[in-house]
Amino acid sequence: MNTDSTERYADHLAAEKIERAVHSVTIRYRLTLSGAPPIEVASWHQDQALERYTVRVRTGGDELTLPAAAWGTRTDEIGPFLRHWILEHVYLEQSKLRQGCRRPDPYWVSAWRLAHPWL
């Protein structure tokens, strides 16, 4: 295998890892909170407008892109970074904790409680 195709394969694997990390955060957000602002995730293979090996996160009018070139070696940082970014761009005051959620995410429960100190 030549170096160029090896690098592309490494970028592809890194982008898939980024996508899994993003979905891990957003799925837990959706499972824990009801009525919270929606979070949309798209990756390069779903949206042709995105640069190759890039994952995009949107909420409201705000957008974050995570390209493999910048995040491929830092996937362990994506969870904390993305949770913080989402919390800065959504308002949880209208949300509720989802009834029947077997394992609510502690981060989102804590964020919800901070948004609802009177409860």
Side-chain angles (χ1 to χ4, degrees):
M1 214 190 285
N2 66 32
T3 306
D4 188 40
S5 62
T6 302
E7 287 175 16
R8 282 197 311 258
Y9 186 66
D11 288 342
H12 181 83
L13 292 177
E16 285 184 340
K17 201 169 178 182
I18 291 167
E19 193 172 7
R20 283 192 302 273
V22 167
H23 282 298
S24 176
V25 171
T26 58
I27 288 170
R28 289 178 179 158
Y29 171 87
R30 289 182 196 114
L31 289 175
T32 303
L33 302 171
S34 171
I39 306 291
E40 299 173 16
V41 177
S43 58
W44 78 99
H45 53 84
Q46 297 167 321
D47 186 343
Q48 300 303 316
L50 285 173
E51 183 179 320
R52 190 174 213 180
Y53 307 131
T54 299
V55 177
R56 179 185 63 224
V57 181
R58 280 186 183 159
T59 184
D62 300 313
E63 179 176 298
L64 172 69
T65 57
L66 301 165
W71 288 93
T73 58
R74 303 170 39 212
T75 54
D76 57 328
E77 298 173 33
I78 291 173
F81 175 79
L82 183 57
R83 283 191 297 267
H84 181 75
W85 184 87
I86 291 171
L87 200 53
E88 287 185 337
H89 293 88
V90 300
Y91 298 99
L92 299 179
E93 287 77 9
Q94 300 297 320
S95 66
K96 297 179 181 179
L97 291 177
R98 188 173 297 281
Q99 296 296 318
C101 181
R102 293 183 203 169
R103 292 185 299 176
D105 185 279
Y107 181 87
W108 296 117
V109 171
S110 176
W112 182 85
R113 287 190 175 132
L114 287 173
H116 299 85
W118 57 90
L119 297 177

